Structures are given as C-alpha cells and as structure tokens.
Amino acid sequence: MSDLENVSLKLEALGYRVTPSRRAVIAAVLQQSDHFSVDDVLHRCRGAGRATVFRTIRLLTDLGVVCRLLLADGSLHYRVSQRGHHHHLVCTACGTVRDLDQCAISDLMRELSDAYGYEIEGHWLELYGRCSACRSAVAAEAR
Amino acid sequence: MSDLENVSLKLEALGYRVTPSRRAVIAAVLQQSDHFSVDDVLHRCRGAGRATVFRTIRLLTDLGVVCRLLLADGSLHYRVSQRGHHHHLVCTACGTVRDLDQCAISDLMRELSDAYGYEIEGHWLELYGRCSACRSAVAAEAR
DNA sequence: TGTCTCGTTGAGACCAAGTATCATGTCTGA
DNA sequence: TCAGACATGATACTTGGTCTCAACGAGACA
Ligand SMILES: [Zn+2]
Ligand SMILES: [Zn+2]
Ligand SMILES: [Zn+2]
Ligand SMILES: [Zn+2]
C-alpha cells in the first residue's frame, strides 16, 4: 500500500479519479523519507494548487495511506503509514520517528471504561524523547 | 491555588506585577466552570487587549494554574487545574472533562525507554468518549 | 458526434489562532 | 525624581487551513 500504483488503484476502487494533480501530490508524499508538513509537499508540487494539496492529503489520511503526527511544538505533520492504528515516538533532536507496534493503551482504556462508564471513542497519544543516537552524540560532545 | 488572591500572590512571589488587566483575565479564567478557549476569556474580558489575554493565559499555563486541553476537533482549550501533570477524559457529547488521577502511561514510558534507548522527555495524551450520562440519554431516546 | 453531468481543479478570498511591533503608560529602586 | 524595566493594547502580520466559484474534463448517453 505504499507506491504510486497501489495508491492509485485504491483511489480508483473507491470511485475517486486519479488526476494529474493527485498523482503529483501522491508522488511527492511517497518520496518523503520521514514525516513532512503540508507545506513541504506544496513546495515539491509545482502544478498542484494549495487547496488540492490540502484536499489530497486529507484524502490520503482518510484512506490510511498517511497518518497524522503531532510534533512537540504543536505543529501537525504527516507520515506514510503501512499499518493501521498506532502511535509514535518522536526524537526531539533529530526528528526521527519510531512507530510503536500497536496501541499501547488499550488496557488503560478498558480500565477507564469500566471505572467511569465512558465509552471511549478515540484518543491521541504522542511520545517525545531523545533517541539513543542523539543521546550518545551529546555525551561524546560533552567529553 | 485556585482563587484570585492565591494566584495573585503566586504571581507576585515570582516577580510579576498584578496589574488590572491581569486581574481581569485571571478572574475571567477562574469563573469558567469547565474548559474554555482563549476566545471565551476574550469575550468576558472587556478591557484587557487580545495580546494581554494570550500572554496572561500562557503565564497561567506556565505557572500550572491552568492546563491545556486538546479537543477532539483539534482546537486548544484550557482548564483550571489543581494538580500537577495529568490527562483528561473528554465527553464528545456534552464536553464534560474528567481529570485522570495521575499519568497512566509512566509504566509504558519506562518500557519504551528500556526497549529503544529513548530518553522520554514529554508526551501528549487525551482520551475522547461518551460519558455515562450521555450514553443513557441516547439509549432513552432510542427507546 | 454533440451534449449533460458530475467530480475536480486552482486562484484567491476568507477565517481562526496566535505572534510581533511599538508607542505609550506605570512601577520601582537608586 | 529620574532611569530603566515591566506591562499594555491597537494593529499589523503570519501561519495553517477552508470556502467559493468559474472553468475544465472524462465518461455516459443519445
Ligand atoms: Zn535523535
Ligand atoms: Zn491508540
Ligand atoms: Zn457527556
Ligand atoms: Zn502523562
């Protein structure tokens, strides 16, 4: 579910047209190595208009091709996503993201559900830290 | 740490002046029953300018008098806060917020720390659902 | 072939949230 | 009492995103 053809097929299967503008946006998204902002795509996408870029990225989000990523500074980024629901561990120094295997708080949610009678419908979880590479780089520098 | 006098004292103790504008903002914040947006305060605060309201709310956040609350629709609200670090369970129907007693994912963070070598510095967690009152209201209506 | 229809596009207006600027006002401590 | 730091608020600006709307284009159909 990660290259241009696959995404195009998926769109078509759902009745969306695969137009040149959409292809351009999708291609730009797929060639991002790590997470990216809408603006990043906008710059790599001469030819597709602002609105179309926003619309297409929303479409890709709804389709599960990319996932949202809330950075520590509050800005919203995106990231090509293979799996379904998951969360992220973001390095605040180098920006690298590690996907967590599965939702790690389903137990917690069940507990809360039981304790307070809430029916939990959704949640937002992001974790920020420094990866081991960045930590050892700092340690080396301090020496 | 929740009424006007206490907050004023706290500000003074840290070297901030307690000006009429700040008093007005703080009073408006404290009389909010549940969570509120900056705009809510702005409307209840004729006399304090826009910038000052933003500045004062940031000050209160830094002081721990209020905490941030990310709603399901992505908008940022605030809420008077007694305790320190905690998370929220927000009803998507009536908007009521329940504070969770403590950070429920400290175990998870320790695990991740160990597994991946990240030094975790921060995180963001919000839970959305329907409270029991709203659930039974819907159930009654469906009958 | 022409023509209808409907999804799509993109320029630009608009909007919301928040920050920067800066002239002015107010404390406060020497 | 004076200098300097702190605080204010009008307003301009920025950022991130949506809305509008005229125009386009790819079928479907006759
Ligand atoms: Zn790193
Ligand atoms: Zn999850
Ligand atoms: Zn409710
Ligand atoms: Zn926590």
Side-chain angles (χ1 to χ4, degrees):
Chain A
M1 198 181 310
S2 54
D3 76 315
L4 186 52
E5 269 321 296
N6 283 333
V7 176
S8 302
L9 289 175
K10 197 167 179 180
L11 278 181
E12 270 171 359
L14 288 164
Y16 296 102
R17 292 187 196 154
V18 180
T19 64
S21 295
R22 282 186 178 156
R23 290 187 92 83
V25 174
I26 297 169
V29 161
L30 291 180
Q31 79 188 32
Q32 301 284 327
S33 56
D34 202 347
H35 52 99
F36 54 90
S37 64
V38 173
D39 223 55
D40 293 332
V41 175
L42 212 40
H43 288 323
R44 279 177 186 68
C45 246
R46 284 278 107 92
R50 204 170 134 67
T52 299
V53 172
F54 275 99
R55 284 189 286 236
T56 307
I57 290 182
R58 181 166 50 200
L59 197 52
L60 294 179
T61 309
D62 294 345
L63 257 58
V65 174
V66 300
C67 58
R68 283 180 227 269
L69 176 63
L70 184 63
L71 295 192
D73 69 358
S75 64
L76 192 58
H77 274 220
Y78 295 85
R79 179 171 155 84
V80 175
S81 148
Q82 283 76 21
R83 50 197 108 199
H85 175 79
H86 64 275
H87 301 281
H88 308 108
L89 188 44
V90 189
C91 177
T92 50
C94 66
T96 306
V97 172
R98 174 182 285 273
D99 285 335
L100 301 182
D101 297 350
Q102 73 272 317
C103 176
I105 58 169
S106 31
D107 290 347
L108 171 63
M109 290 193 293
R110 201 160 24 248
E111 273 175 41
L112 291 174
S113 218
D114 292 349
Y116 303 130
Y118 272 67
E119 178 189 347
I120 298 194
E121 304 174 316
H123 57 278
W124 189 260
L125 171 64
E126 301 280 3
L127 296 154
Y128 309 106
R130 303 182 143 255
C131 70
S132 49
C134 290
R135 290 170 66 194
S136 42
V138 169
E141 199 170 301
R143 229 183 335 97
Chain B
M1 200 181 310
S2 57
D3 75 314
L4 186 51
E5 271 320 297
N6 284 333
V7 176
S8 303
L9 289 174
K10 196 167 179 181
L11 277 181
E12 271 171 357
L14 288 164
Y16 295 101
R17 292 185 194 155
V18 180
T19 64
S21 294
R22 281 184 178 159
R23 288 189 93 82
V25 174
I26 296 169
V29 162
L30 290 180
Q31 79 189 31
Q32 300 284 328
S33 57
D34 202 346
H35 52 100
F36 54 90
S37 64
V38 173
D39 222 55
D40 292 333
V41 175
L42 213 40
H43 289 322
R44 280 176 185 68
C45 245
R46 285 279 107 92
R50 206 171 137 65
T52 299
V53 172
F54 274 99
R55 283 188 287 237
T56 307
I57 290 182
R58 181 166 48 201
L59 197 52
L60 294 178
T61 309
D62 293 346
L63 257 59
V65 173
V66 301
C67 58
R68 282 179 228 271
L69 177 63
L70 184 64
L71 296 191
D73 70 358
S75 64
L76 193 56
H77 274 220
Y78 294 85
R79 179 172 154 83
V80 176
S81 147
Q82 283 76 23
R83 51 199 107 199
H85 175 77
H86 64 274
H87 300 281
H88 307 108
L89 187 45
V90 189
C91 177
T92 51
C94 64
T96 306
V97 173
R98 173 183 285 273
D99 285 336
L100 300 183
D101 298 350
Q102 72 272 317
C103 176
I105 57 168
S106 30
D107 291 347
L108 170 63
M109 290 192 292
R110 202 160 23 246
E111 273 173 43
L112 292 175
S113 218
D114 292 349
Y116 302 130
Y118 272 68
E119 177 188 348
I120 298 194
E121 306 173 316
H123 57 276
W124 189 260
L125 171 64
E126 302 279 3
L127 296 153
Y128 310 105
R130 304 182 141 255
C131 70
S132 50
C134 289
R135 290 170 68 195
S136 44
V138 169
E141 199 169 299
R143 229 187 331 100

